[in-house]
Amino acid sequence: MIANILRVETLNTDSYEYSNMTPDATIDRRSYLKAVGAVGATGAVAGCTGSGDGEDGEDDGTEVINPGTAPGFPPFEYTEDGELVGFDVDLAEAAIERAGYEVGEWTEIEFDSLIPSLTQGNLDLIAAAMTINEERQQQIAFTDPYYESDQAVLVAEDSDLSPESVDDLADQRVGAQSGTTGQDEVDTLVDDGIVSADDTRQYDNYTLGVQDLENGNVDALIIDIPVAQNFADGRAVSIAFTIETGEVYGMGMRQDDDRLADINDALAELQDDGTYDELVAEWFE
Ligand code: ARG
């Protein structure tokens, strides 16, 4: 059931580190959460604190979950006509409501401010195509994975550069959004002596990076495949090659927030009843 919630990117053909660790239906969600180190999913009685039964919106016990994201990452989260839209926005709202909670105000901030804002209590749930990794799990808990992706290397359409592997990025200017796993890949290029630290660029969001790519101010951007694909469809950029990272996205919650179990149940339900597939069709196909 949980493995089914993963959306496998069509550009990827090889196996995934995470999906190999991802249980099939024979392993229950609690074990999986334990396996990936997410703690705090202790609430076995779903809805015991969350379901409001009044319609008047007051004193009915419905708890609010305030979501937060970092727009500029289409089709997961971006601004259209001044409005926050995207797959994550719809999926998070559907999960919060299905779990019996009320969707609060969305916070829109830079990606690397999301975890501090969550732990400080300024928001309750991160829905930002955030990759589950150990470093982040030391600070926050993640829901079960809901999407799967590798990284792509994006170049300008009219570029002379047509790299086919990381080695072809030697001495090029390479960028990513600050605090992302794309930036981790850029850092690896520096550590491996392929790219000089002076030639790396960090962007507050990928929209700025794509602009720099189109304007010739950077030679390559490292970015999640589905988002690279989205930019390639509408902008003067194209995917040169991909880097297999085996990442999966989860929504983030505080480690002591026992509503996490309810959100996981809701995500599984949305998968089972076809809502998840409808959202995928709406935003990706
Ligand atoms: N999946 C990548 C990560 O977790 C990139 C996420 C960027 N998300 C965003 N909303 N800008 O680091």
Side-chain angles (χ1 to χ4, degrees):
M1 179 192 285
I2 300 311
N4 290 345
I5 211 164
L6 294 177
R7 167 72 179 168
V8 179
E9 266 313 300
T10 47
L11 277 176
N12 306 334
T13 48
D14 294 322
S15 64
Y16 300 86
E17 207 181 306
Y18 259 103
S19 57
N20 293 341
M21 291 165 50
T22 304
D24 56 30
T26 60
I27 303 179
D28 69 280
R29 176 179 314 121
R30 188 93 22 98
S31 319
Y32 177 64
L33 283 170
K34 220 170 145 198
V36 299
V39 293
T42 51
V45 190
C48 59
T49 57
S51 315
D53 38 22
E55 290 276 286
D56 47 46
E58 271 181 46
D59 264 341
D60 65 354
T62 302
E63 280 181 55
V64 175
I65 292 188
N66 294 308
T69 194
F73 207 63
F76 292 96
E77 41 266 342
Y78 60 104
T79 311
E80 197 173 61
D81 302 326
E83 205 194 325
L84 177 68
V85 296
F87 176 77
D88 279 339
V89 177
D90 285 353
L91 185 65
E93 290 189 354
I96 291 169
E97 280 168 3
R98 182 64 64 94
Y101 300 105
E102 193 180 310
V103 180
E105 281 289 302
W106 279 90
T107 297
E108 298 172 42
I109 48 176
E110 286 168 12
F111 187 77
D112 54 12
S113 302
L114 284 167
I115 289 180
S117 295
L118 174 67
T119 55
Q120 285 158 26
N122 300 330
L123 54 96
D124 303 312
L125 178 137
I126 297 172
M130 186 176 276
T131 300
I132 301 173
N133 67 27
E134 270 176 37
E135 193 186 328
R136 293 170 181 165
Q137 282 174 320
Q138 283 167 11
Q139 304 170 73
I140 64 169
F142 283 96
T143 62
D144 294 326
Y146 68 88
Y147 210 92
E148 190 169 85
S149 172
D150 289 346
Q151 296 290 311
V153 174
L154 209 53
V155 297
E157 222 158 50
D158 61 4
S159 162
D160 296 334
L161 184 72
S162 44
E164 287 169 13
S165 72
V166 285
D167 291 322
D168 294 338
L169 295 174
D171 302 322
Q172 301 297 322
R173 298 163 301 173
V174 184
Q177 180 179 27
S178 308
T180 60
T181 50
Q183 193 193 331
D184 292 342
E185 295 302 315
V186 174
D187 292 345
T188 301
L189 291 175
V190 174
D191 292 344
D192 291 349
I194 297 172
V195 165
S196 117
D198 291 344
D199 285 337
T200 62
R201 302 283 182 275
Q202 275 155 35
Y203 299 98
D204 287 343
N205 61 67
Y206 273 115
T207 311
L208 296 170
V210 168
Q211 255 163 41
D212 245 12
L213 207 53
E214 288 177 329
N215 295 334
N217 296 325
V218 70
D219 302 301
L221 273 190
I222 305 186
I223 174 171
D224 301 43
I225 288 178
V227 183
Q229 189 70 66
N230 188 284
F231 281 124
D233 288 344
R235 305 284 292 265
V237 295
S238 54
I239 295 178
F241 67 94
T242 61
I243 303 171
E244 193 184 319
T245 54
E247 293 168 68
V248 294
Y249 304 160
M251 295 183 196
M253 293 180 76
R254 281 180 295 280
Q255 288 175 340
D256 62 359
D257 191 339
D258 56 18
R259 297 176 296 183
L260 177 71
D262 302 336
I263 297 293
N264 274 330
D265 288 342
L267 284 171
E269 271 180 46
L270 295 170
Q271 161 74 11
D272 288 345
D273 75 5
T275 308
Y276 178 87
D277 288 341
E278 276 168 31
L279 291 178
V280 166
E282 179 180 345
W283 292 104
F284 295 94
E285 286 156 15

